[in-house]
Amino acid sequence: SQTIHQWPATLVQPVGSPLSLECTVEGTSNPNLYWYRQAAGRGLQLLFYSVGIGQISSEVPQNLSASRPQDRQFILSSKKLLLSDSGFYLCAWTETGLEAFFGQGTRLTVV
Amino acid sequence: KQEVTQIPAALSVPEGENLVLNCSFTDSAIYNLQWFRQDPGKGLTSLLLIQSSQREQTSGRLNASLDKSSGRSTLYIAASQPGDSATYLCAVRANQAGTALIFGKGTTLSVSS
């Protein structure tokens, strides 16, 4: 069966520090991968999605970037965090057009 | 641009009640619609997926309907239980298989015993 792993679960980082969040999917090949952010009191905001290795689409210009170095690995990064980057980050995957599944999320607090 | 709205934003009911959560979307040209549950501080759990050609899907005490032409979906929860307390999110995918889900802000449900 397919599973999705996302880590770390919580992270406290100072302003200006770098960020790397990792997401991996098992049990499937060539999934569509997504990064979402959920800020307090707001809906889920799509940040990036990828339909294949090295193929990244950005929905919102911002301080973050994403990479897909392997078929089932999706990484969210920042060179210098801002206070506004705080939030709950969720990774998701789907096979083309089918049901979407989410990881357990990373709570990022930038201090 | 697709927009998804969920009403009400919050709902409190006593245990045993049947209830309906509403979701509306502005662009009827959707590929599918998915309902999720989110517990506090946790990720999203998929509840039901409805393809654009379908009218409804059922799983246990949950039933989701889709009226694509009017841009509406409802999630019906029968015989609610305290364990159903969570935030319920509706999301639609545009009429292309590779695009991402667009979410509503959710309905936070509280079921009291």
Side-chain angles (χ1 to χ4, degrees):
Chain A
S1 63
Q2 302 93 343
T3 56
I4 180 169
H5 302 281
Q6 189 180 342
W7 68 91
T10 59
L11 193 59
V12 180
Q13 293 284 96
V15 169
S17 65
L19 173 73
S20 181
L21 302 181
E22 188 164 343
C23 172
T24 60
V25 181
E26 297 178 356
T28 186
S29 58
N30 197 32
N32 294 333
L33 297 172
Y34 308 89
W35 279 111
Y36 285 86
R37 178 171 60 199
Q38 188 176 37
R42 301 178 64 181
L44 275 84
Q45 179 187 33
L46 176 66
L47 301 176
F48 301 95
Y49 71 94
S50 172
V51 298
I53 295 175
Q55 301 179 58
I56 308 294
S57 296
S58 174
E59 290 293 307
V60 182
Q62 57 207 327
N63 187 41
L64 302 170
S65 63
S67 62
R68 184 170 178 173
Q70 300 180 36
D71 181 44
R72 289 169 289 175
Q73 184 184 32
F74 205 23
I75 298 172
L76 183 69
S77 303
S78 174
K79 293 182 179 178
K80 290 185 178 182
L81 284 169
L82 306 173
L83 287 174
S84 58
D85 292 323
S86 294
F88 192 49
Y89 289 82
L90 289 156
C91 178
W93 77 274
T94 179
E95 294 177 345
T96 302
L98 299 180
E99 193 172 6
F101 297 95
F102 281 75
Q104 286 302 299
T106 295
R107 173 72 59 191
L108 172 65
T109 303
V110 183
V111 296
Chain B
K1 179 183 177 183
Q2 178 73 271
E3 293 185 0
V4 180
T5 302
Q6 292 187 247
I7 296 174
L11 182 63
S12 293
V13 300
E15 182 177 6
E17 269 203 15
N18 302 324
L19 56 100
V20 174
L21 307 181
N22 296 294
C23 171
S24 61
F25 43 96
T26 55
D27 186 348
S28 62
I30 63 169
Y31 189 81
N32 58 33
L33 182 146
Q34 195 166 351
W35 282 93
F36 295 87
R37 168 186 172 138
Q38 185 177 29
D39 293 293
K42 302 295 185 181
L44 277 64
T45 299
S46 177
L47 297 174
L48 291 164
L49 171 71
I50 309 178
Q51 299 293 350
S52 61
S53 59
Q54 298 175 320
R55 296 285 293 182
E56 64 178 331
Q57 283 286 343
T58 298
S59 176
R61 294 183 295 109
L62 305 179
N63 175 277
S65 67
L66 173 64
D67 184 343
K68 202 172 81 161
S69 61
S70 67
R72 293 183 179 181
S73 176
T74 61
L75 179 66
Y76 175 82
I77 303 178
S80 59
Q81 304 171 358
D84 295 330
S85 298
T87 297
Y88 291 81
L89 295 156
C90 164
V92 298
R93 176 175 282 111
N95 207 9
Q96 294 177 24
T99 56
L101 290 166
I102 305 300
F103 282 84
K105 293 186 177 181
T107 294
T108 299
L109 173 65
S110 177
V111 182
S112 57
S113 57

